[in-house]
């Protein structure tokens, strides 16, 4: 069996303050190329779990390994660069810098990740290819991101997450801002491109209707225990 | 790419950024303008008299001699006898000499008796000579040449009769000798503009019927008789000297200061002007300090703008962070934006200064006799602009540090 692209072990995190929210993840693994849907209502701890995986939060106890590296071994600056190198992030909405061009937005993670920039090769050509594959018109590259429709913006966010083929994609309800018809088309493109890039996909959502497409579907409660308040 | 994004981000907030840049530009233009006026005034002041190597008067202070001989402020404590003047003028080092005699007035303007040599040798503003706008220099005993301000204030034209008063108060006017305007000078921006110039002999003629400042009762000498009299003056107030060689200036000055027959004082006009500027220049320094405060105010305004924009830009910073930007990048980005704004402000301010100069230069010159040169930015001006940009970077570190803290806490997700 291949080494997991993401491994959580005995993870514990407690927000500072007496009433701080606490999250525990005894064990979770994501294999290369695997697609996993993590279902959870708001308040189930996903907005704590994702920053822990991405390294903007540091676990109080336990380990987070991404592509074999323990995030706790890295300094703050190293974690930032590591995130740029290894992880593509897609948010619910407001993914893009509205004043920048689409090309600038797509190429932004490469700016902070020299290895990923090397993997991407000619960044602009790769961005254009991704845009085309995601059904975006070519002219969109030089348009300002703020002028695009929400659906187009989400697809640009996918292109940005996939450029340079990071081993792990983390998506936080990427379809919640889209209507039902666009959702399906968007997910088709996302899965197709993630597979083409060989990236594993961890998606967090509250919508069980998405479940059918994923290799595995987990409930947040299955892998994590959360506590609110000082108990 | 970061620079391009920073510029794009500034453009996206064009209105507030534009206002901030405008405020900085206006303050920079004000500061540079005050600086320009200050150096212009200083130069104009120093250019009040040029081409004259030494000014000689009765022994007093250098500034006092300069004040009454050049600026027509205050009075001479004593005169120079005609014999002493002749002695000095005959010295081999002396190239030319122009005696002047002061003490009379016409309305609020001083009357100066001199020779026509004054028009040949008096120089101002880097060697410009006096020029006549109308008429000619004195040829007759009762001819006067008036400065531009005299003509403008009193509405005089060529040929108008004028009456010269003895002393500075006008209660005792020399009503019996009617002078007439023979020439009107171009505006110079120097005290010459406010002077009525007559010949030395005319000053003597006015005083023929006077003793100790009072009219001799019953004695009136007609103009015709005066013309026939020997009107060689017995004393002059001061002498402007030109030397044969600049190297001899100090030797001549020493010789005059040690003149045994009479206590005299010779001064270098440039040195005395500098001494005087040290006194009057304080006000301009205060003005400069005030305009520097305006620049500081504009920069603090920029800081406030950046502070207030932080909250609405937290999402933008979160995106940067999610893409792998370190919090230091966020800090650098905000400082970069501030530097760009300050640089734009400084640049636009310089543009405003030149636009203002082009419009105002002729007006300021004719109204105040102040010449503001339009030239490439001086090193000092470039330093000022550089300092504004640096100060912009410095004041922006406060909001930038706050942004750093926010983005460290927010990470890639904005919690509200």
């Amino acid at each position: 069996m291949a080494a997991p692209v993401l491994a959580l072990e005995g993870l514990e995190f407690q927000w500072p303050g007496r009433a701080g929210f606490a999250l525990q993840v005894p064990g979770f693994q994501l294999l290369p190329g695997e697609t996993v849907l993590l279902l959870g209502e708001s308040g189930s701890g996903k907005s704590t779990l994702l920053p822990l995986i991405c390294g903007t939060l540091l676990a109080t106890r336990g380990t987070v390994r991404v592509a074999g590296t323990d995030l706790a071994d890295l300094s703050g600056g190293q974690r930032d660069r590591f995130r740029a190198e290894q992880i593509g992030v897609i948010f619910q909405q407001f993914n893009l810098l509205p004043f920048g061009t689409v090309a600038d937005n797509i190429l932004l993670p490469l700016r902070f990740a020299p290895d990923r920039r090397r993997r991407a090769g000619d960044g602009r050509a790769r961005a254009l290819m991704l845009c085309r594959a995601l059904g975006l018109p070519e002219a969109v590259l030089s348009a300002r991101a703020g002028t695009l429709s929400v659906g187009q913006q989400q697809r640009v966010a996918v292109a940005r997450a996939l450029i340079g083929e990071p081993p792990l994609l983390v998506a936080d309800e990427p379809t919640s801002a889209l209507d039902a018809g666009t959702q399906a088309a968007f997910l088709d493109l996302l899965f197709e491109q993630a597979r083409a890039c060989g990236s594993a996909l961890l998606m967090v959502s509250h919508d069980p209707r998405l479940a059918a497409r994923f290799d595995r579907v987990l409930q947040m409660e299955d892998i994590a225990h959360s506590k609110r308040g000082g108990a | 790419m970061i620079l391009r994004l920073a510029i794009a981000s500034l453009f996206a907030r064009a209105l507030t950024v534009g206002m901030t840049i405008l405020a900085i530009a206006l303050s920079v233009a004000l500061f540079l303008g005050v600086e320009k006026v200050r150096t212009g005034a200083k130069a104009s002041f120093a250019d009040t008299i040029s081409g004259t190597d030494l000014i000689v008067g009765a022994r007093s202070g250098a500034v006092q001699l300069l004040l009454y001989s050049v600026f027509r402020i205050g009075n001479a404590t004593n005169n120079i006898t005609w014999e002493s003047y002749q002695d000095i003028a005959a010295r081999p080092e002396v190239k030319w000499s122009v005696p002047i005699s002061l003490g009379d007035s016409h309305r609020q303007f001083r009357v100066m008796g001199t020779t026509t040599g004054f028009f040949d040798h008096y120089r101002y503003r880097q060697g410009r000579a006096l020029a006549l706008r109308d008429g000619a220099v004195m040829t007759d005993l009762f001819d006067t040449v008036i400065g531009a301000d005299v003509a403008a204030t009193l509405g005089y034209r060529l040929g108008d009769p004028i009456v010269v008063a003895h002393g500075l108060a006008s209660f005792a006017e020399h009503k019996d000798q009617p002078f007439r305007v023979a020439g009107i000078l171009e505006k110079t921006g120097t005290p010459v503009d406010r002077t009525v110039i007559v010949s030395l002999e005319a000053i003597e003629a006015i005083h023929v019927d006077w003793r100790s400042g009072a009219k001799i009762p019953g004695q009136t000498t007609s103009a015709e008789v005066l013309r026939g009299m020997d009107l060689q003056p017995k004393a002059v107030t001061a002498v402007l000297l030109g030397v044969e060689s600049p190297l001899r200036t100090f030797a001549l000055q020493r010789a005059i200061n040690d003149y045994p027959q009479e206590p005299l004082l010779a001064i270098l006009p440039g040195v005395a002007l500098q001494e005087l500027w040290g006194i009057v220049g304080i006000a301009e320094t205060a003005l400069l300090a005030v305009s520097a405060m305006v620049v500081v105010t504009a920069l603090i305004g920029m800081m406030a703008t950046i502070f207030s924009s932080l909250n609405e830009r937290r999402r933008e910073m979160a995106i940067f962070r999610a893409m792998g930007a370190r919090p230091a990048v966020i800090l650098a980005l905000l400082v970069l934006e501030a530097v760009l704004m300050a640089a734009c402000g400084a640049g636009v301010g310089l543009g405003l200064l030149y636009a203002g100069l082009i419009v105002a230069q002729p007006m300021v010159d004719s109204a105040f006799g102040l010449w503001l040169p339009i030239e490439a930015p001086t090193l000092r001006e470039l330093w000022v602009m550089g300092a504004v940009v640096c100060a912009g970077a410095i004041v922006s570190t406060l909001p930038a540090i706050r942004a750093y803290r926010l983005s460290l806490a927010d990470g890639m997700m904005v919690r509200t």
Side-chain angles (χ1 to χ4, degrees), chain B residues 24 102 221 369:
Chain B
I24 296 173
L102 298 159
T221 313

Side-chain angles (χ1 to χ4, degrees), chain B residues 349-412:
Chain B
L350 190 70
L352 285 176
L353 174 73
Y354 279 111
L357 274 181
I358 289 166
V359 173
Q361 189 190 44
M363 287 190 267
V364 171
D365 189 28
S366 67
F368 305 109
L370 190 59
W371 182 249
L372 304 174
I374 298 177
E375 56 201 4
T378 62
L379 196 62
R380 193 179 154 84
E381 284 167 337
L382 294 178
W383 266 107
V384 168
M385 291 168 61
V388 168
V389 174
C390 285
I394 290 167
V395 297
S396 73
T397 52
L398 281 175
I401 287 168
R402 180 161 165 70
Y404 177 93
R405 293 225 176 100
L406 275 177
S407 78
L408 204 58
D410 283 348
M412 45 183 249

Side-chain angles (χ1 to χ4, degrees), chain B residues 134-153:
Chain B
D134 263 326
V137 300
M138 309 85 82
T139 47
D140 185 70
L141 182 60
F142 294 112
D143 277 353
T144 70
V145 172
I146 60 176
D149 285 355
V150 180
T153 310

Side-chain angles (χ1 to χ4, degrees), chain B residues 48 75 83 97 106 123 130 156 160 171 174 199 207 259 264 270 281 287 310 321 324 383 386 412 414-415:
Chain B
T48 305
N75 291 300
E83 289 72 28
S97 67
H106 172 70
R123 292 282 187 277
L130 296 173
Y156 285 161
D160 282 355
F171 56 83
H174 300 243
S199 66
H207 300 103
Y259 187 67
L264 296 179
L287 197 62
L310 285 187
R321 294 279 280 127
W383 266 107
M412 45 183 249
V414 179
R415 283 185 309 276

